Amino acid sequence: MLNEFKKFISRGNVVELAVGIIIGAAFTGIVNSLVKDMLMPPIGWVMGGIDFSNYFISLTGGRFDSIAAAEAAGAATINYGRFINTVINFLIVSGALFMIVRQVNRLHFMHKAEAGPSRQEVLLTEIRDALRARPQDARPQDVRLQDAGPQNALPDRPV
């Protein structure tokens, strides 16, 4: 069982997945800092200097100056400011991942284009060229049924 586990872990896909998860976790920290420390302060300043992550609705009806004060009092809150921060984080991460995947796909397409035509395309091209090179009399002609009666005859014009 231990050998199977070693074989499973040493496969390329599992190692690549682990590296991706670790890089993703580090990237999440960077994005969180970008949103919290760089984007939200100017947005809060434009909105009147209020800390955006401190927007909340108290469900208990009490008046609290901050989420921390509401949590210390044990009040139930809807923290929509934190939710907006999380949505902005998601948009930044998904946009960055889109750009990465787009570039990888572009590089993959360029690599595929450099490889040349596939074996199937080469064969089809050879067949096409061989058919074009046949003499004119070897090509099939428009053959109409001569012996057939009027019920089986091909019309001269479309019906």
Side-chain angles (χ1 to χ4, degrees):
M1 187 165 147
L2 183 60
N3 287 334
E4 288 180 59
F5 181 72
K6 286 180 184 177
K7 185 178 176 183
F8 173 75
I9 290 298
S10 65
R11 287 187 3 207
N13 293 341
V14 174
V15 174
E16 291 171 4
L17 178 64
V19 169
I21 289 172
I22 291 169
I23 290 174
F27 187 67
T28 300
I30 291 170
V31 170
N32 286 337
S33 176
L34 174 69
V35 170
K36 179 181 171 191
D37 301 329
M38 303 293 286
L39 294 178
M40 296 316 287
I43 291 173
W45 178 73
V46 167
M47 296 182 73
I50 301 171
D51 181 16
F52 203 67
S53 65
N54 213 23
Y55 285 171
F56 68 99
I57 297 171
S58 174
L59 298 176
T60 58
R63 177 83 175 116
F64 302 98
D65 293 332
S66 68
I67 292 176
E71 288 174 349
T77 59
I78 296 176
N79 304 325
Y80 66 91
R82 289 182 182 171
F83 176 74
I84 292 172
N85 281 348
T86 303
V87 169
I88 292 172
N89 282 351
F90 170 76
L91 292 174
I92 291 172
V93 169
S94 61
L97 286 177
F98 171 74
M99 296 303 284
I100 290 169
V101 169
R102 185 175 175 207
Q103 292 302 321
V104 168
N105 287 340
R106 183 176 291 154
L107 290 175
H108 180 70
F109 178 74
M110 288 172 49
H111 176 69
K112 210 175 200 183
E114 291 174 2
S118 69
R119 178 74 178 140
Q120 182 181 8
E121 290 173 340
V122 170
L123 289 174
L124 289 172
T125 303
E126 289 174 5
I127 291 169
R128 182 201 61 204
D129 294 343
L131 289 173
R132 283 185 181 165
R134 287 192 329 189
Q136 183 68 23
D137 57 343
R139 294 184 185 175
Q141 300 297 319
D142 183 18
V143 178
R144 297 198 182 251
L145 297 173
Q146 302 291 331
D147 301 336
Q151 69 274 11
N152 293 333
L154 296 175
D156 289 334
R157 55 188 152 80
V159 178

